[in-house]
Amino acid sequence: MAEEAYALARLIAPDPTDTDYWVAVYQNGLYTYVPKANLENPIEGILVLIGQQGGQIFAAPPNMTWGNDWVTLGTIRHIGESHVIVEIGSQLRAFPLPETDVWEIAEGDVVQILDETGIGVVLAGEKDLSGNKGETDGRRFERQPPEGNLPPFIGETVSDAIERYVELPIRRKTEYATIGVSPAKGVLFVGPPGTGKTMVARQIAKRVDASFFVVDGPEIMSRYVGDAELALRNIFREASSRERAIIFFDEIDTIAPSRDKETHESGVRLVGMLLTLMDGFNSSSNVMVIGATNRVNTLDTALRRNGRFQAEVNFSLPLLTERRQILDSVRATLQVRDDAKTTRIEQETAGWSGADLADIWQQAGWNAAGDQRLSIAQEDLNRAFEQVQQQRLNRERTTQ
């Protein structure tokens, strides 16, 4: 029997959703959840060694450091008499069978590729990274959506499109199957930043009683070969195990840009993985994929073909009536003096997003607290309007 293989990890923080666990991150960027009972003296930031078979946990020796070297990861797909076939990203490569009895290797293990000579340490079995890591992906990416009332400022056009393309296909699968038509597998939310795309996606999940998985574009990107693809695969696997699930890609343009000669190889692989995963489930499945972007023209064209993201919902900047509704809805959650009016703000914020309008109240609250007031006054609102206006101007300058 081979000796236990250990992987270095750093304790991040107690799990906010379960006091019996701590969150730890491996050097390859993958997260795991460690039972508190296995930790002798958990302290945020300390390094630990986690056993990859038995799950034993020890404090790392003092001479161990958190390395900064790049790491290539792969998954063992076949073990022959003299060679091992490893999947790295979307490619299969053969390496000599390791001449060591320090650890056992098995099909499905995730391993570190040291160099052309072959396999280094076994980081974790895929059983751990799909069952354990699959659960980790679920707990890392799944979010509890808020109450499911769609905000009134999105307008009837957007509300009707959401019902048509997202809610009805989830609620009425039987009717679609009887008629013989297939709903869209994926729906794109298109519109400027701050128009409520992410908030609406969360609320849809609540309305249709679906598990909700958030994949933030920049967050899932990794410098490790195969890491982002593995995470995507596990998220889809976890979502498929739920009765109903929505996978929401925020800033999808960052992980699925148009593939051209200048696109980095990792970007090409990630787009290919997403296409494969979407093609891998049929439109009558329990999973609905939603992508949000404010740069729809930069998306890879293959994503917008029939059978993938074939429906789009356009979110626009709020009009006067909608701006009033946004300001009123935020006001209702704050301590505001009765004589504080937003009429001027409503009229002078054409072209502003809902996020900008909400930020005015946030800034006004800070202004009131800074002046030692317990409620927001008109002067706080006026100053907040000017502050947010300046922030918008600064953003525009930096993007020109």
Side-chain angles (χ1 to χ4, degrees), residues 185-249:
K185 292 182 182 179
V187 179
L188 280 177
F189 285 2
V190 181
T195 50
K197 299 185 293 295
T198 303
M199 176 177 61
V200 167
R202 292 176 183 272
Q203 291 170 331
I204 291 171
K206 189 71 172 182
R207 286 159 63 94
V208 299
D209 193 25
S211 299
F212 187 62
F213 294 82
V214 178
V215 183
D216 182 87
E219 178 183 316
I220 200 173
M221 298 301 289
S222 174
R223 65 180 183 177
Y224 304 109
V225 175
D227 195 3
E229 295 96 313
L230 177 62
L232 272 186
R233 189 164 61 227
N234 285 335
I235 292 166
F236 271 81
R237 182 183 303 163
E238 180 70 16
S240 298
S241 70
R242 307 299 178 91
E243 183 177 354
R244 290 176 173 178
I246 290 176
I247 301 176
F248 177 68
F249 286 87

Side-chain angles (χ1 to χ4, degrees), residues 100-123:
T100 177
D101 57 1
V102 175
W103 59 77
E104 289 182 340
I105 59 172
E107 292 181 7
D109 282 350
V110 176
V111 296
Q112 176 182 345
I113 307 301
L114 293 179
D115 51 37
E116 293 300 324
T117 62
I119 297 172
V121 64
V122 178
L123 295 172

Side-chain angles (χ1 to χ4, degrees), residues 290-302:
I290 300 176
T293 179
N294 62 307
R295 301 189 302 167
V296 67
N297 293 331
T298 67
L299 282 179
D300 191 90
T301 54

